[in-house]
Amino acid sequence: MNVDHAGIATDDADVLAELYTDLFGFEVVHEETFDGMSVVFLDCGESYFELLEPLDGEGAIARYLDRNGPGIHHLALETDDVAAALDRAREHGVELIDDEPRPGAWGHSVAFLHPGSTGGVLIEFVEH
C-alpha cells in the first residue's frame, strides 16, 4: 500500500488551498461537494492533501473541528481492494468503523479503521 492522501480538516478550504498552492506549488486537481463538505484535492507529487470543510456545521469533520480545531484528520492508504484490506484488518483484530466499503470523495470506494486500534491515527483505505 502507498499513502494516497492526508485528510486535513479546515474551516475554509479555499483559503487553505490558496496558501498551499502559493507556498508549496501544489495544484488543485479536484473539487467537489460531498457528504455536507467542500472537498479539495491538491496534488503533492506522490500523494494528495484532501482539504475538508464542513458546509452545514454538522457531521464528522464539524465535530472534529469543534473538538480539535483545524489539522490532520486522517491518513489514507491506497489499496487495490478495500474489502480485502478490511478482511486483513479484521484478521489482525483491528476495530473497523466501516464493515464494508462505501462511496467516498472523487468516486472512490473507502473504509475507515478506528484510531483506537491504529495508534491513535484514523486510517482510511481508498480504492481508485
Side-chain angles (χ1 to χ4, degrees):
M1 288 187 200
N2 295 310
V3 174
D4 184 77
H5 67 266
I8 302 171
T10 180
D11 292 316
D12 194 326
D14 290 335
V15 168
L16 194 55
E18 185 175 337
L19 173 66
Y20 289 169
T21 57
D22 291 346
L23 183 63
F24 304 126
F26 294 162
E27 179 184 348
V28 173
V29 292
H30 182 76
E31 298 179 73
E32 70 179 278
T33 300
F34 174 80
D35 202 23
M37 298 178 289
S38 172
V39 181
V40 178
F41 280 87
L42 299 157
D43 187 343
C44 304
E46 298 292 320
S47 60
Y48 301 95
F49 280 4
E50 177 190 36
L51 309 182
L52 304 163
E53 175 191 348
L55 297 175
D56 56 12
E58 303 203 10
I61 299 302
R63 288 189 302 275
Y64 180 88
L65 287 167
D66 287 343
R67 282 191 316 267
N68 305 299
I72 294 177
H73 176 261
H74 67 272
L75 293 177
L77 300 175
E78 180 181 0
T79 178
D80 293 333
D81 187 340
V82 172
L86 286 171
D87 288 342
R88 182 175 177 151
R90 277 187 203 94
E91 290 169 6
H92 284 83
V94 172
E95 183 180 352
L96 309 178
I97 291 175
D98 298 299
D99 290 320
E100 300 292 329
R102 61 181 167 96
W106 213 341
H108 300 149
S109 292
V110 303
F112 286 86
L113 306 180
H114 195 282
S117 293
T118 55
V121 180
L122 179 62
I123 300 290
E124 175 186 14
F125 292 136
V126 59
E127 180 181 331
H128 292 241

PDB file of all heavy atoms in Angstrom, residues 11-23:
ATOM      1  N   ASP A  11     -11.612  25.128   8.403  1.00  0.00           N
ATOM      2  CA  ASP A  11     -12.805  25.977   8.384  1.00  0.00           C
ATOM      3  C   ASP A  11     -12.997  26.652   7.031  1.00  0.00           C
ATOM      4  O   ASP A  11     -14.081  27.157   6.741  1.00  0.00           O
ATOM      5  CB  ASP A  11     -12.713  27.062   9.470  1.00  0.00           C
ATOM      6  CG  ASP A  11     -12.780  26.484  10.868  1.00  0.00           C
ATOM      7  OD1 ASP A  11     -13.623  25.607  11.107  1.00  0.00           O
ATOM      8  OD2 ASP A  11     -11.982  26.916  11.715  1.00  0.00           O
ATOM      9  N   ASP A  12     -11.949  26.692   6.208  1.00  0.00           N
ATOM     10  CA  ASP A  12     -12.030  27.366   4.915  1.00  0.00           C
ATOM     11  C   ASP A  12     -11.100  26.693   3.914  1.00  0.00           C
ATOM     12  O   ASP A  12      -9.899  27.018   3.852  1.00  0.00           O
ATOM     13  CB  ASP A  12     -11.692  28.850   5.068  1.00  0.00           C
ATOM     14  CG  ASP A  12     -12.075  29.667   3.849  1.00  0.00           C
ATOM     15  OD1 ASP A  12     -11.999  29.145   2.708  1.00  0.00           O
ATOM     16  OD2 ASP A  12     -12.462  30.836   4.027  1.00  0.00           O
ATOM     17  N   ALA A  13     -11.632  25.772   3.137  1.00  0.00           N
ATOM     18  CA  ALA A  13     -10.831  25.005   2.184  1.00  0.00           C
ATOM     19  C   ALA A  13     -10.233  25.892   1.094  1.00  0.00           C
ATOM     20  O   ALA A  13      -9.096  25.674   0.671  1.00  0.00           O
ATOM     21  CB  ALA A  13     -11.670  23.890   1.561  1.00  0.00           C
ATOM     22  N   ASP A  14     -10.963  26.902   0.651  1.00  0.00           N
ATOM     23  CA  ASP A  14     -10.449  27.768  -0.414  1.00  0.00           C
ATOM     24  C   ASP A  14      -9.225  28.550   0.037  1.00  0.00           C
ATOM     25  O   ASP A  14      -8.231  28.652  -0.692  1.00  0.00           O
ATOM     26  CB  ASP A  14     -11.535  28.731  -0.899  1.00  0.00           C
ATOM     27  CG  ASP A  14     -12.644  28.041  -1.669  1.00  0.00           C
ATOM     28  OD1 ASP A  14     -12.393  26.959  -2.246  1.00  0.00           O
ATOM     29  OD2 ASP A  14     -13.757  28.577  -1.691  1.00  0.00           O
ATOM     30  N   VAL A  15      -9.286  29.101   1.232  1.00  0.00           N
ATOM     31  CA  VAL A  15      -8.153  29.875   1.754  1.00  0.00           C
ATOM     32  C   VAL A  15      -6.939  28.968   1.957  1.00  0.00           C
ATOM     33  O   VAL A  15      -5.815  29.320   1.605  1.00  0.00           O
ATOM     34  CB  VAL A  15      -8.540  30.598   3.066  1.00  0.00           C
ATOM     35  CG1 VAL A  15      -7.316  31.160   3.778  1.00  0.00           C
ATOM     36  CG2 VAL A  15      -9.538  31.714   2.776  1.00  0.00           C
ATOM     37  N   LEU A  16      -7.164  27.777   2.522  1.00  0.00           N
ATOM     38  CA  LEU A  16      -6.054  26.856   2.747  1.00  0.00           C
ATOM     39  C   LEU A  16      -5.475  26.350   1.430  1.00  0.00           C
ATOM     40  O   LEU A  16      -4.253  26.236   1.282  1.00  0.00           O
ATOM     41  CB  LEU A  16      -6.504  25.692   3.626  1.00  0.00           C
ATOM     42  CG  LEU A  16      -5.402  24.828   4.217  1.00  0.00           C
ATOM     43  CD1 LEU A  16      -4.396  25.657   5.017  1.00  0.00           C
ATOM     44  CD2 LEU A  16      -5.999  23.732   5.081  1.00  0.00           C
ATOM     45  N   ALA A  17      -6.341  26.090   0.451  1.00  0.00           N
ATOM     46  CA  ALA A  17      -5.858  25.660  -0.871  1.00  0.00           C
ATOM     47  C   ALA A  17      -4.992  26.748  -1.502  1.00  0.00           C
ATOM     48  O   ALA A  17      -3.938  26.453  -2.078  1.00  0.00           O
ATOM     49  CB  ALA A  17      -7.036  25.318  -1.783  1.00  0.00           C
ATOM     50  N   GLU A  18      -5.409  27.991  -1.369  1.00  0.00           N
ATOM     51  CA  GLU A  18      -4.625  29.099  -1.924  1.00  0.00           C
ATOM     52  C   GLU A  18      -3.261  29.190  -1.234  1.00  0.00           C
ATOM     53  O   GLU A  18      -2.230  29.374  -1.893  1.00  0.00           O
ATOM     54  CB  GLU A  18      -5.380  30.415  -1.777  1.00  0.00           C
ATOM     55  CG  GLU A  18      -4.676  31.579  -2.429  1.00  0.00           C
ATOM     56  CD  GLU A  18      -5.493  32.869  -2.381  1.00  0.00           C
ATOM     57  OE1 GLU A  18      -6.725  32.815  -2.250  1.00  0.00           O
ATOM     58  OE2 GLU A  18      -4.855  33.930  -2.475  1.00  0.00           O
ATOM     59  N   LEU A  19      -3.243  29.041   0.088  1.00  0.00           N
ATOM     60  CA  LEU A  19      -1.977  29.069   0.819  1.00  0.00           C
ATOM     61  C   LEU A  19      -1.056  27.957   0.339  1.00  0.00           C
ATOM     62  O   LEU A  19       0.122  28.191   0.050  1.00  0.00           O
ATOM     63  CB  LEU A  19      -2.226  28.932   2.325  1.00  0.00           C
ATOM     64  CG  LEU A  19      -0.962  28.772   3.181  1.00  0.00           C
ATOM     65  CD1 LEU A  19      -0.104  30.030   3.136  1.00  0.00           C
ATOM     66  CD2 LEU A  19      -1.323  28.402   4.605  1.00  0.00           C
ATOM     67  N   TYR A  20      -1.577  26.731   0.248  1.00  0.00           N
ATOM     68  CA  TYR A  20      -0.743  25.600  -0.137  1.00  0.00           C
ATOM     69  C   TYR A  20      -0.285  25.683  -1.593  1.00  0.00           C
ATOM     70  O   TYR A  20       0.817  25.236  -1.912  1.00  0.00           O
ATOM     71  CB  TYR A  20      -1.464  24.277   0.126  1.00  0.00           C
ATOM     72  CG  TYR A  20      -1.607  23.919   1.588  1.00  0.00           C
ATOM     73  CD1 TYR A  20      -2.421  22.874   1.981  1.00  0.00           C
ATOM     74  CD2 TYR A  20      -0.929  24.608   2.590  1.00  0.00           C
ATOM     75  CE1 TYR A  20      -2.557  22.526   3.321  1.00  0.00           C
ATOM     76  CE2 TYR A  20      -1.066  24.276   3.918  1.00  0.00           C
ATOM     77  CZ  TYR A  20      -1.872  23.228   4.282  1.00  0.00           C
ATOM     78  OH  TYR A  20      -2.006  22.884   5.602  1.00  0.00           O
ATOM     79  N   THR A  21      -1.102  26.233  -2.477  1.00  0.00           N
ATOM     80  CA  THR A  21      -0.655  26.386  -3.863  1.00  0.00           C
ATOM     81  C   THR A  21       0.439  27.446  -3.953  1.00  0.00           C
ATOM     82  O   THR A  21       1.430  27.251  -4.650  1.00  0.00           O
ATOM     83  CB  THR A  21      -1.816  26.728  -4.817  1.00  0.00           C
ATOM     84  OG1 THR A  21      -2.458  27.912  -4.384  1.00  0.00           O
ATOM     85  CG2 THR A  21      -2.813  25.596  -4.913  1.00  0.00           C
ATOM     86  N   ASP A  22       0.279  28.547  -3.221  1.00  0.00           N
ATOM     87  CA  ASP A  22       1.294  29.609  -3.239  1.00  0.00           C
ATOM     88  C   ASP A  22       2.573  29.189  -2.515  1.00  0.00           C
ATOM     89  O   ASP A  22       3.675  29.416  -3.003  1.00  0.00           O
ATOM     90  CB  ASP A  22       0.756  30.890  -2.590  1.00  0.00           C
ATOM     91  CG  ASP A  22      -0.340  31.559  -3.405  1.00  0.00           C
ATOM     92  OD1 ASP A  22      -0.520  31.206  -4.594  1.00  0.00           O
ATOM     93  OD2 ASP A  22      -1.026  32.433  -2.844  1.00  0.00           O
ATOM     94  N   LEU A  23       2.433  28.577  -1.348  1.00  0.00           N
ATOM     95  CA  LEU A  23       3.565  28.247  -0.503  1.00  0.00           C
ATOM     96  C   LEU A  23       4.358  27.047  -1.010  1.00  0.00           C
ATOM     97  O   LEU A  23       5.593  27.055  -1.025  1.00  0.00           O
ATOM     98  CB  LEU A  23       3.070  27.977   0.925  1.00  0.00           C
ATOM     99  CG  LEU A  23       4.100  27.678   2.001  1.00  0.00           C
ATOM    100  CD1 LEU A  23       5.037  28.874   2.208  1.00  0.00           C
ATOM    101  CD2 LEU A  23       3.395  27.336   3.310  1.00  0.00           C
TER     102      LEU A  23
END
